[in-house]
Amino acid sequence: MTDGGISAKLTVCAVDRLRAEVILANVVVIGAQWGDEGKGKITDLLSRSADVVVRYQGGVNAGHTIVVDEKVLKLHLIPSGILYPETICLIGSGTVVDPKVMLKEIDMLIENDIDLSGLQLASSAHVTMPYHRLIDQAMEERRGAKKIGTTGRGIGPTYADKAQRNGIRVIDLLDENKLRERLAGPLKEKNELLKKVFGIETLDQEKLIHEYLGYGERLLPHIVDCSRAIHQAAKNKKNILFEGAQGTLLDLDHGTYPYVTSSNPVSGGACIGAGVGPTLIDRVIGVAKAYTTRVGEGPFPTELEGSLNDQLCDRGGEFGTTTGRRRRCGWFDGVIGKYAVEVNGLDCLAITKLDVLDELEEIKVCIAYELDGETIHYFPNSAEEFARCKPIFKSLPGWQCSTADCRRLEDLPSTAMSYLRFLAELMEVPIAIVSLGASRDQTIVVEDPIHGPKRALLSS
C-alpha cells in the first residue's frame, strides 16, 4: 500500500471516531409501514429536543392526532412541534399546501392558546387549488373498482401540476398581477376538463383570485425562504428534526405502486423537500406499529379478518385522522419492515401501540412470503406479485396483561420484552422508543435519538 493509501485510511478512521463523539443533531422521522404509525406522537416527543421541525412532503392527505393534557389536537399540515413555544416549525418546499385548511388549523391552535410565532411556511411550496380537489375526486370516482383509495384532497393533481410547471406557489399568493398571470392558463385548462370530461361546474377566476389573495395576506407573517432558513439554523448549530408524512410503502417510487401517495415519504425525500444535502442528516428513525395497518386499496399480505381485525381496530382507534376511514389491520410484517430499514437507512426504531396487543394470547409476525410456491424474504416491486404473496408466520406468546402504565423497560412483562427483541432481531435495527398509549407520558424512551450517542439500544 502506498503512503497516500495509508494516510487516507487513517483519515477515515479519525473521521469515524470524531462522528461517534459528536452529539447527533439532525434527525429524519419516517413511517416504516403504510403510514398511520403514530409518527405524530413520536415527532411531538422528539420535538422537545429539537430547535427546528421541518415537514418535508405530502399535504392535507396526512394527519397527526396529538393528545396533550387530555386535549385532542388534530393537525394535517402544521408540524406537531408547534406545541413547544421555543420550536421553529417549518412547512418545507416539498409539501403541497391547502391554505384554507392551514388557516383553519391556525385558528384552532389560537383557540387553544398555542404560540404560533415559530410557524414558518416555504414561499416555494405549491398550493392546492379548488380544481385540484374536484379533479381528484372525479378521477377516483371514474376508476370504479380500480380506485386507488385517495383522500380526495387534491394532492395528486397538485403534484402533477408542479411537475408540469403549471402550479401555483405560496409566493404567488402575495402579488395580484403574478397570481392572475400564473392562474390564467391552468384555470382555463382545468375548467374545460371539469366541464367537458367530468360534467362539473366551472370555477370563476376573479372569485379565486380574491379568495387566495386573502389567504396570502393572512399567511404573509409566516412565509420564509425555506432552504435559507434551514441552512441558517444548521450554521447556528440548531437541532433539526425532519418529519415525513405517510409511510415508506406509500412512497411514489418505492411503495406498492400504484396504491401510493404522490410524493416521497422515505428519508431521502427530506433532502429534496427541505432543500438540504444528505450530509446534513445524522440519523434516521423509523416509526412502526407493533402490528400493521393500511388505509385504502392495495395488497396487504398479513391482513386479518373478522373479530381479531375488529379487536385491533377498536383497541387501537384505527380510524384515519384525515378521512375518518376505518383502517385495515394485520399482523406485523417483518418483510416490509426490513425493506423499510434498507430503503430509508434506518438507525433505530420507535415501536408504537404495543398496548393494543395486551389482551392477545398469541401474536404472529410475518417473517417471509410464499410467492408461487417459493419462499422469499424480499419485498417484490410488482403489485401483481405482491398481491399473490402469502405470509409465513412465526407465532409468539402474548402477555395478557396491561402495559399502559409501564414507564421503563423493566416494567414490561418478559413476553412483551421478548416480542420487542424478536422485532429488533428480525429487522436488524435497535429499538429506541416504545409507545404504550396516546398520551405523552405513555412512552418508554430507551434513548433520545437526537441527543443520545449512537449505540446499541434494545436489540437481540
Side-chain angles (χ1 to χ4, degrees):
M1 181 181 288
T2 65
D3 290 343
I6 294 173
S7 299
K9 185 174 181 180
L10 291 174
T11 301
V12 169
C13 292
V15 169
D16 285 345
R17 284 197 302 271
L18 179 62
R19 284 184 63 83
E21 294 168 2
V22 172
I23 292 176
L24 301 174
N26 303 325
V27 176
V28 180
V29 178
I30 61 95
Q33 295 163 323
W34 274 287
D36 307 310
E37 300 95 346
K39 294 185 299 300
K41 178 184 175 180
I42 302 303
T43 304
D44 172 60
L45 179 73
L46 297 179
S47 294
R48 296 182 305 184
S49 304
D51 300 301
V52 181
V53 179
V54 183
R55 164 77 180 274
Y56 61 82
Q57 50 76 224
V60 297
N61 55 340
H64 288 330
T65 300
I66 310 297
V67 180
V68 182
D69 298 329
E70 299 184 357
K71 187 179 294 184
V72 178
L73 301 176
K74 295 187 177 184
L75 300 171
H76 299 277
L77 281 169
I78 297 175
S80 52
I82 197 66
L83 303 179
Y84 296 93
E86 303 301 318
T87 302
I88 299 297
C89 286
L90 175 56
I91 300 172
S93 301
T95 56
V96 293
V97 178
D98 187 327
K100 188 174 183 178
V101 175
M102 183 172 175
L103 287 168
K104 283 183 179 178
E105 288 188 22
I106 286 175
D107 291 338
M108 179 271 292
L109 292 169
I110 290 173
E111 289 174 6
N112 284 278
D113 299 319
I114 304 298
D115 180 11
L116 296 178
S117 58
L119 178 60
Q120 298 182 353
L121 170 62
S123 59
S124 52
H126 278 249
V127 176
T128 296
M129 301 294 288
Y131 48 77
H132 291 134
R133 292 192 297 272
L134 292 171
I135 291 170
D136 191 6
Q137 294 162 13
M139 289 178 65
E140 183 73 346
E141 185 177 347
R142 282 206 165 197
R143 291 186 183 106
K146 295 183 178 180
K147 63 181 180 178
I148 294 171
T150 76
T151 61
R153 302 301 176 94
I155 308 305
T158 309
Y159 276 114
D161 274 1
K162 176 180 178 178
Q164 292 172 349
R165 282 81 76 192
N166 228 2
I168 306 295
R169 301 197 299 171
V170 168
I171 198 170
D172 298 329
L173 306 184
L174 306 180
D175 185 314
E176 181 175 349
N177 291 331
K178 183 185 292 185
L179 180 58
R180 189 177 298 278
E181 178 185 350
R182 295 290 301 160
L183 187 60
L187 184 58
K188 181 180 179 182
E189 175 188 299
K190 305 305 180 189
N191 273 339
E192 288 184 4
L193 186 61
L194 290 172
K195 182 179 180 179
K196 297 179 180 180
V197 176
F198 299 120
I200 297 174
E201 186 177 347
T202 58
L203 299 167
D204 182 84
Q205 178 172 314
E206 292 307 313
K207 287 183 179 179
L208 280 183
I209 289 173
H210 177 75
E211 180 182 356
Y212 280 76
L213 285 174
Y215 295 152
E217 185 176 357
R218 280 202 63 192
L219 291 171
L220 179 59
H222 303 287
I223 297 174
V224 299
D225 180 325
C226 171
S227 183
R228 189 165 64 186
I230 295 173
H231 283 284
Q232 188 59 52
K235 285 182 181 179
N236 292 335
K237 308 299 181 185
K238 301 296 184 182
N239 297 324
I240 305 172
L241 180 64
F242 297 89
E243 173 189 11
Q246 289 97 25
T248 299
L249 275 295
L250 291 179
D251 187 273
L252 180 61
D253 293 301
H254 305 290
T256 50
Y257 191 89
Y259 304 102
V260 293
T261 192
S262 304
S263 58
N264 294 107
V266 295
S267 61
C271 297
I272 297 170
V276 302
T279 53
L280 190 68
I281 308 300
D282 295 303
R283 177 176 275 187
V284 182
I285 178 169
V287 185
K289 281 177 183 165
Y291 49 103
T292 308
T293 64
R294 80 172 297 177
V295 173
E297 308 302 316
F300 185 2
T302 68
E303 184 172 11
L304 292 164
E305 296 180 352
S307 60
L308 194 49
N309 174 79
D310 294 341
Q311 182 179 351
L312 292 180
C313 187
D314 293 340
R315 279 186 57 83
E318 298 298 353
F319 299 90
T321 301
T322 298
T323 64
R325 288 183 294 183
R326 190 178 180 90
R327 295 174 185 142
R328 301 155 64 189
C329 297
W331 296 119
F332 189 93
D333 190 328
V335 179
I336 67 170
K338 286 189 284 187
Y339 176 72
V341 171
E342 294 170 351
V343 78
N344 292 292
L346 296 187
D347 292 288
C348 56
L349 282 169
I351 298 295
T352 63
K353 296 195 174 184
L354 183 69
D355 58 300
V356 175
L357 305 181
D358 283 351
E359 297 179 353
L360 301 181
E361 182 179 354
E362 179 187 42
I363 301 170
K364 294 183 179 181
V365 177
C366 175
I367 58 173
Y369 298 144
E370 180 187 319
L371 175 59
D372 300 334
E374 178 185 354
T375 298
I376 63 171
H377 294 84
Y378 61 87
F379 166 66
N381 59 18
S382 161
E384 290 74 23
E385 286 188 354
F386 190 49
R388 297 201 303 274
C389 285
K390 298 177 181 178
I392 298 173
F393 288 117
K394 167 77 172 179
S395 292
L396 300 168
W399 39 97
Q400 295 184 284
C401 62
S402 176
T403 59
D405 294 327
C406 296
R407 298 296 179 267
R408 305 173 304 161
L409 287 178
E410 294 81 4
D411 298 334
L412 289 171
S414 59
T415 43
M417 282 291 293
S418 296
Y419 180 69
L420 291 172
R421 286 198 174 96
F422 182 80
L423 297 186
E425 180 180 7
L426 179 65
M427 296 177 68
E428 299 180 345
V429 68
I431 296 171
I433 297 171
V434 181
S435 174
L436 302 152
S439 297
R440 279 176 171 173
D441 66 328
Q442 291 180 298
T443 312
I444 298 172
V445 179
V446 186
E447 177 191 300
D448 185 330
I450 291 181
H451 281 161
K454 204 171 188 176
R455 58 180 174 82
L457 314 179
L458 176 59
S459 55
S460 59

